[in-house]
Structure formats: structure tokens, C-alpha cells
Amino acid sequence: MSRLVAYKLMTLGSDNPRIGIDWEKRPSRYLTVDGVPAYQIAYGCGTCGLVLRREPAAANVLLSAAAVRDRLNIGLDGLDAEVVEAFAAQLPRGDYQVMLLDTLPTLVTPGSAGDYFAVEGPAGWRDEELEYPIDPANASYYRLDRRDVGDHDELFEFAVPMVDPTDLDTGTVERYSNAAGRPTAVAFGLLDIEGPYFREERHWGLFHFLLDGHHKTASAAANDAPIRLLTFVSAGESLASADELLRLPEIIDADGQGTVDR
């Protein structure tokens, strides 16, 4: 499940961001941290399927903002301007759908029964005459929500760690298990929409790449508990139209409880 708490369309970012998108090795597309590819995240064809593959040279990197750490540990109730500003400095300049969500993470390993890239992805690109190959995931990640979009499409949400969950400090993970309030994680988001050329249905992949909150997310997954997530979904770098990005809050906020932060 995912529940929208607050959202706002904002122009943010830095001319010297730590997070970037690299298209130089077309048709492949990469998420970079400090200029180093961290994940292959898509092909540019629109029909090739969602992609999530950790790069061999990717480093375990935490992109936290020390100045607002205490606020995140207590938990946000809305779009805190100082927290937004602190993380915007790490993002490429552009328009963002900034959303605060409550969501339930489930840790999945590549090839497991819960792995989208082993189950729903291949199924969506298969018909009676053709099985179109989908790149398998090669690193653990978190499944979040899955819901229908209109009559044909489906939305799949993923939280993607920059640090291998097995490398996290177990004491810190346990400490968040007993934390009061709703500790908040932070992510850079991409909405990629893909569909096979032989079918009308498309998969909306909403990827939240964790900048801060790896231990919080791991704790929530271990305890089958929700976590609050502040995510900056990039309009310019997503493989989706502006209208589709603007629909995201409506799609996620199925219960009609989210608020617009003015």
C-alpha cells in the first residue's frame, strides 16, 4: 500500500548535483552518483520493459543531509521547506513532483517469488507466440505498491537502495524498530512507463532511489511496518509525459486523503 500525505509540483535542483542521469551509452540509461554509474535503469525505446541492474563499480553511498537529520528521524508531517532545500542541492535542476507518502516496503531478492523482474515483468512481455526477454534484476530492492491505472495499465512502485541491505549496521536497524513517530526516508524518483509493442497494457514503474533512510527502510521491511517517504520524482528525467507525471498524486491517493502543500 501507498498513501499520499502531501504533494507539490516544484522547480528544484543544483547546477552541480550529486545525482545524475547518463544517456551517453544509448540506448541504455544510467543513474549516476558523483558521475559514477550506479544503476542501469532503462532503455529508451518505450517497449523494452522496466530495468533495474546494479552497476559493478557502484559504491555504497549515503546521500544524507546532516543539517535536517533530526527532523527526518522524528518524521515529517508535511513538505518541510528546509528538508526539501537540503536535498534539492543534490538533484539535477528541473521540475519535480514532490510527494510525501506512507508506504509498506517488502525486501525482495533477485529471482524470488516477489521479484517484479522475474514474475510480473516477463509475464507482461509474453504472449502465445513470443516471449520478449526482460532484463533480470541483479540486486535486492524493496517492493512498495501495485495498483491499476485506468482500464489497462498498472503502477508498480520500488524503493531502490544505494547501499546493499546486507551491509547495513544491524544495531541501527534495530534502533529504528523501537523509534517513536514516523521516521522519514528520502528518495530521488523516476516514473518510467513501458509496454510491449504487441499489447495495449503498459507498466508504470515508479522508482524511488534512496538518498537517506536505508536503515529506516530496512527496519520497516523487517517489521512489516509502513515508512514515511519523501520522494522527488523528476519530470525531465522520467520516461513519462508531463500529464502522466501530474496524474501520479491522483493515482496514488486512491482514498482521497492527500493534501497539496501550497
Side-chain angles (χ1 to χ4, degrees), residues 28 40-43 48-53 115-118 121-122 125 132-138:
S28 296
Q40 181 189 1
I41 49 175
Y43 299 107
C48 297
L50 304 176
V51 179
L52 185 67
R53 293 190 58 80
D115 180 10
Y116 166 89
F117 301 94
W125 268 254
Y132 196 94
I134 296 295
D135 286 354
N138 65 348

Side-chain angles (χ1 to χ4, degrees), residues 28-78:
S28 296
R29 168 171 161 260
Y30 296 87
L31 177 84
T32 64
V33 180
D34 298 328
V36 178
Y39 278 96
Q40 181 189 1
I41 49 175
Y43 299 107
C45 61
T47 60
C48 297
L50 304 176
V51 179
L52 185 67
R53 293 190 58 80
R54 181 83 167 167
E55 287 296 291
N60 284 343
V61 179
L62 297 174
L63 295 108
S64 58
V68 295
R69 183 175 297 133
D70 289 345
R71 296 189 186 202
L72 294 174
N73 287 342
I74 294 171
L76 303 183
D77 294 323

Side-chain angles (χ1 to χ4, degrees), residues 11-12 15 45-46 58 75 102 107 109-110 117 121 132-133 138 185 192 196 206 214 225 227 232 238 256 258:
T11 300
L12 303 166
D15 292 328
C45 61
D102 284 337
L107 181 65
T109 55
F117 301 94
Y132 196 94
N138 65 348
D192 289 350
L206 181 54
H214 288 75
I227 187 170
F232 298 81
S238 291

